[in-house]
Amino acid sequence: MFKSVFAKYVTAVMAIFVVGFIVLLVVLTSIVSNTLSEGKAHEMNDVSDAVVGYVQDSVGDVTPEDFIPAFSACLSDPSLRLTELFAALTITDSDLNILIADQSGVIRYRMCNGQEEQGLEVSLPESLLPEQDTDGDALDIVQLTPLFDSDVLVLSAPIRGASDEIVGYVAVSSSTAPNGRMVQELAKTAISSALLVLLAAMIAVYFISERVIGPLREMAAAARKFASGKFDVRVNVYGRDEVAELAVAFNNMAESLENLETMRNSFIANVSHDLRTPMTTIAGFIDGIRDGVIPPEEQDHYLEVISVEVQRLSRLVTSLLDLSRIQAGDRKFTPKPFDICEMARLILISFEQKIEEKKLQVEFLCDEERMMVYADHDAIYQIFYNICHNAVKFSVEGGIFRIRITEKERKVQVSVFNEGQGIAQEDLPYVFERFYKSDKSRGLDKSGVGLGLFIAKTIVEAHGEKIWVESETGKNCEFFFTMPKPPHA
């Protein structure tokens, strides 16, 4: 996984970087090349204007036939200093050539880097023989063989004599090689810089991807251990970013899985015990009655014991069926108005014998004689009965057993309080989890399997309400749940 993700990161970064660099390099070199070419063109245009002006002033109004002889005479005239002027213009730029051509475009004079040549007999291309003064617009790149060995930038302008007639041409040329060398140097520098940046980016990608992939690799290893049944594995949390949040969530999930596995094992042990014990008792007493080991006068007593054990099995099976229906989503609730106070009174009556056996002090508090709620009657009776059953079961002898029903914020709140051992603080977050039993020794709770409160929580939340518990260890415990009032109450 590490190599695959790292390769994807590297490929993506390199692709983005290379494409971006190529676009940037093309744009940059194009801008630089155009800027250099425009600068060279303006320089050549200034030289051309200067040469045309000096030549026209020197030869005066001549005819095309007299232009070359007159120009040659001017070159020989020390007072005109044309040769010195041309040399000065070309020495500053070794790639600059000043060409003088006759009316037909044949080059008769050349000055390059302070050195002059005459009688070259090489013709300018027709495209560089303008009929009018274009002020440098006749600009092109041509190959003038044998004068030049590479592409050159050439600018030409006409020389006019008598009657404004074109008697010859001035051509200024310059090689584009320096521009190309400058662009190449620029490209080399940019490529070198880009390689350094790319190397730094690859190092950064490596460490960043390792920071992301490292915890993922740990999670994958932990997940494989989970698959083999080891739920005590945790991953290290680094930093406070999204990956750290994922690691925290992973550890929370692992803790939940571990708790669920512990509760599942406890549930299996409890169910096995709760099935085996009554079945063993039932089978033993029935066999004793059939075999005559139990005398007839004692059979009613043992049949009563068998009946109690059958009821215990029935409650267990009912709880398991409820759990199965809840998990499958088959448990449907039909809300309707009913009096929750009347339901509480009936539940109290059903526990009358057990309350008397423990000599409990019963307190029954209602804000009103009748308090209507809007819920599924049978489902609420089930959870109300179960909470009261637990309260009576875990109450100390002579302790207080209290049911309080109040109205708060358009809801009816029911609380069941008992004095007893209570629930340890470390157990409070788990009391509504399925298969959870705080009395793991089964010293007080011999019949429960840890499903009642989970079913109660599921039913209450299905009504859009809340259920919670408050407890002082060694003193008391109080369960609360809320129910909605009828819509038009």
Side-chain angles (χ1 to χ4, degrees):
M1 180 184 69
F2 170 72
K3 293 182 179 179
S4 174
V5 174
F6 179 71
K8 291 177 181 178
Y9 275 145
V10 171
T11 302
V13 171
M14 288 189 65
I16 294 172
F17 184 86
V18 170
V19 172
F21 173 73
I22 290 175
V23 172
L24 179 62
L25 184 62
V26 170
V27 173
L28 185 61
T29 54
S30 176
I31 292 174
V32 171
S33 179
N34 291 337
T35 302
L36 293 175
S37 297
E38 289 177 2
K40 178 67 72 173
H42 286 301
E43 178 187 353
M44 293 168 60
N45 185 66
D46 294 340
V47 171
S48 175
D49 289 344
V51 171
V52 169
Y54 277 112
V55 171
Q56 288 187 163
D57 291 342
S58 299
V59 300
D61 293 334
V62 296
T63 60
E65 294 78 9
D66 297 332
F67 169 66
I68 293 301
F71 175 71
S72 298
C74 291
L75 290 174
S76 303
D77 187 347
S79 63
L80 296 177
R81 305 177 67 179
L82 283 180
T83 301
E84 295 179 15
L85 173 64
F86 295 160
L89 292 173
T90 59
I91 287 176
T92 57
D93 187 349
S94 60
D95 293 311
L96 191 68
N97 290 266
I98 297 176
L99 310 173
I100 305 298
D102 59 20
Q103 185 188 36
S104 62
V106 177
I107 299 174
R108 299 304 184 96
Y109 176 86
R110 176 194 184 198
M111 174 64 76
C112 178
N113 200 19
Q115 303 295 322
E116 60 180 0
E117 297 179 59
Q118 298 188 31
L120 298 177
E121 301 294 333
V122 177
S123 297
L124 291 171
E126 293 185 1
S127 61
L128 293 175
L129 301 179
E131 296 180 357
Q132 302 179 12
D133 186 359
T134 58
D135 193 24
D137 290 339
L139 190 62
D140 200 357
I141 296 178
V142 298
Q143 183 77 23
L144 297 180
T145 306
L147 290 181
F148 308 101
D149 297 327
S150 61
D151 289 344
V152 293
L153 193 64
V154 181
L155 184 147
S156 64
I159 301 173
R160 300 184 184 277
S163 303
D164 203 31
E165 183 182 7
I166 295 177
V167 297
Y169 297 93
V170 171
V172 179
S173 69
S174 180
S175 173
T176 58
N179 292 357
R181 287 193 296 270
M182 185 175 293
V183 172
Q184 289 177 359
E185 290 299 321
L186 175 64
K188 289 180 182 178
T189 303
I191 291 174
S192 300
S193 302
L195 291 176
L196 291 176
V197 174
L198 182 60
L199 177 61
M202 292 301 100
I203 295 174
V205 166
Y206 172 79
F207 285 105
I208 293 174
S209 60
E210 175 64 18
R211 176 66 179 273
V212 173
I213 297 169
L216 297 180
R217 192 189 305 114
E218 287 187 34
M219 293 180 200
R224 287 191 291 270
K225 291 182 179 179
F226 291 165
S228 63
K230 298 178 181 179
F231 296 99
D232 58 342
V233 181
R234 301 293 183 269
V235 298
N236 296 319
V237 179
Y238 305 99
R240 303 175 66 180
D241 54 12
E242 291 83 353
V243 177
E245 292 180 2
L246 178 61
V248 171
F250 187 89
N251 287 337
N252 291 337
M253 179 196 69
E255 185 175 356
S256 297
L257 287 174
E258 184 178 15
N259 292 333
L260 183 62
E261 179 66 11
T262 301
M263 288 186 291
R264 187 183 67 84
N265 292 335
S266 176
F267 167 74
I268 292 174
N270 290 339
V271 170
S272 299
H273 179 273
D274 290 335
L275 286 174
R276 183 174 61 252
T277 299
M279 290 177 64
T280 301
T281 301
I282 293 170
F285 289 159
I286 290 177
D287 288 342
I289 293 173
R290 293 179 59 190
D291 295 341
V293 175
I294 299 176
E297 60 275 11
E298 297 182 6
Q299 289 181 3
D300 288 342
H301 169 72
Y302 288 104
L303 287 174
E304 181 66 25
V305 174
I306 292 173
S307 176
V308 171
E309 294 299 327
V310 169
Q311 292 175 11
R312 179 178 169 186
L313 283 175
S314 177
R315 287 194 300 270
L316 174 61
V317 172
T318 300
S319 296
L320 293 175
L321 288 176
D322 281 343
L323 175 63
S324 177
R325 291 172 59 195
I326 288 172
Q327 290 180 328
D330 295 335
R331 180 81 182 265
K332 305 300 180 183
F333 302 106
T334 305
K336 61 181 180 180
F338 64 88
D339 184 3
I340 190 72
C341 295
E342 180 64 22
M343 177 181 288
R345 295 185 187 98
L346 294 175
I347 292 175
L348 275 177
I349 293 173
S350 67
F351 286 110
E352 182 178 1
Q353 181 179 352
K354 293 181 179 179
I355 290 173
E356 290 181 355
E357 290 174 358
K358 282 198 168 187
K359 301 180 176 60
L360 299 180
Q361 303 177 42
V362 178
E363 296 180 2
F364 184 75
L365 305 173
C366 288
D367 286 353
E368 300 177 15
E369 184 70 17
R370 289 170 53 85
M371 299 183 67
M372 304 299 293
V373 298
Y374 187 73
D376 186 292
H377 182 277
D378 293 339
I380 301 305
Y381 184 91
Q382 177 184 354
I383 66 173
F384 203 167
Y385 183 92
N386 185 61
I387 293 173
C388 290
H389 178 268
N390 289 340
V392 172
K393 181 196 305 183
F394 295 109
S395 291
V396 295
E397 186 171 347
I400 296 175
F401 171 59
R402 180 175 62 237
I403 296 177
R404 185 195 301 270
I405 303 175
T406 59
E407 181 178 345
K408 292 187 177 181
E409 299 178 355
R410 292 288 303 168
K411 293 182 182 296
V412 173
Q413 178 177 296
V414 179
S415 68
V416 179
F417 173 90
N418 74 286
E419 290 184 334
Q421 187 62 32
I423 300 174
Q425 293 299 313
E426 61 270 18
D427 290 329
L428 284 177
Y430 309 107
V431 294
F432 294 104
E433 298 289 339
R434 53 189 160 185
F435 317 137
Y436 188 81
K437 294 184 65 176
S438 59
D439 181 29
K440 299 177 179 61
S441 67
R442 302 178 64 86
L444 295 174
D445 186 7
K446 297 182 174 61
S447 61
V449 293
L451 292 177
L453 291 178
F454 170 74
I455 294 173
K457 178 175 179 287
T458 304
I459 292 174
V460 170
E461 290 181 348
H463 286 77
E465 299 300 326
K466 297 179 181 179
I467 183 171
W468 68 98
V469 60
E470 297 176 0
S471 177
E472 292 186 54
T473 306
K475 293 184 178 181
N476 56 62
C477 180
E478 188 168 13
F479 280 84
F480 301 83
F481 67 91
T482 60
M483 282 290 112
K485 297 185 68 176
H488 304 294

